[in-house]
Amino acid sequence: MSKSTADHAALGAVRDPQTVTPTGEPVGERIAGVELRAAVTHLDDRGEICEIFDPAWGVHPAPLVYVYQTMVRPGKTKGWVVHQEQDDRMFVSLGTLRIVLYDAREGSPTHGRVNELFVSERNRALLVIPCGVFHAVQNIGATDAYFVNLPTRAYDHGAPDKYRLPIDTSRIPFSLAPREGG
């Protein structure tokens, strides 16, 4: 241990853990069934185009049956939500979102695991969230954030497949409270 490292340790400083490989791949294990497909944005002098979903990608086998857009205001959180009959396929198009997932599925190889993902218009992606995985979406940016959801089941207004826990629940081992930078 170098002298400066020893001095930092004596002050109680803790080294940041590795979060990505040198090529940018996350080092943490993803919840079973969760897929995150980075989106490519094509630019030219007229503007840009970004593909949201193509069955040929093989990201999810279910056909498109329903699509809607959601907006989250700065500093606001939507969730904790879980579905029993549908998977969500969310595409973040504008703004900066922290999306937190919790695997509540009994028998899942990743039962009890939490994944924290950050997606924005600079880092667009299609995220597949299997049924049985709780999720919360938090706008951590300064502008409204938008995502498109392409769930595997059309919304049933009479009997929604949507179950909620309070944001501050102790049943999920993750706090959505704002964090100070470091």
Side-chain angles (χ1 to χ4, degrees):
M1 182 181 304
S2 72
K3 179 167 176 11
S4 63
T5 302
D7 291 343
H8 297 152
L11 292 172
V14 178
R15 180 188 300 248
D16 281 352
Q18 180 182 4
T19 58
V20 296
T21 66
T23 60
E25 295 299 315
V27 295
E29 183 182 349
R30 188 101 49 206
I31 290 172
V34 170
E35 298 287 335
L36 185 66
R37 183 188 186 279
V40 176
T41 300
H42 303 281
L43 301 169
D44 67 21
D45 61 319
R46 301 166 296 162
E48 64 182 43
I49 185 170
C50 183
E51 295 177 341
I52 294 174
F53 182 84
D54 185 339
W57 296 338
V59 172
H60 198 283
L64 285 178
V65 293
Y66 189 74
V67 178
Y68 65 89
Q69 178 176 276
T70 299
M71 186 266 288
V72 185
R73 298 207 187 281
K76 299 296 182 180
T77 303
K78 291 181 176 247
W80 293 101
V81 173
V82 69
H83 308 289
Q84 292 182 359
E85 300 176 32
Q86 76 181 45
D87 294 351
D88 279 343
R89 297 176 288 200
M90 295 172 48
F91 181 83
V92 176
S93 58
L94 189 62
T96 304
L97 294 174
R98 171 166 62 172
I99 303 170
V100 183
L101 310 173
Y102 173 69
D103 190 352
R105 301 170 295 174
E106 292 294 333
S108 168
T110 55
H111 178 261
R113 182 173 311 256
V114 172
N115 285 166
E116 181 182 24
L117 308 169
F118 297 89
V119 188
S120 74
E121 71 260 17
R122 292 185 186 163
N123 183 36
R124 292 179 180 139
L126 177 65
L127 173 63
V128 175
I129 305 170
C131 64
V133 173
F134 278 89
H135 46 289
V137 178
Q138 186 173 51
N139 184 339
I140 58 172
T143 62
D144 293 344
Y146 292 84
F147 67 89
V148 174
N149 194 10
L150 309 97
T152 58
R153 184 174 181 263
Y155 187 76
D156 181 346
H157 292 82
D161 178 30
K162 190 173 281 196
Y163 302 85
R164 296 181 185 273
L165 286 174
I167 293 295
D168 61 351
T169 184
S170 61
R171 295 175 163 235
I172 296 176
F174 189 90
S175 173
L176 289 161
R179 298 186 296 214
E180 295 298 318

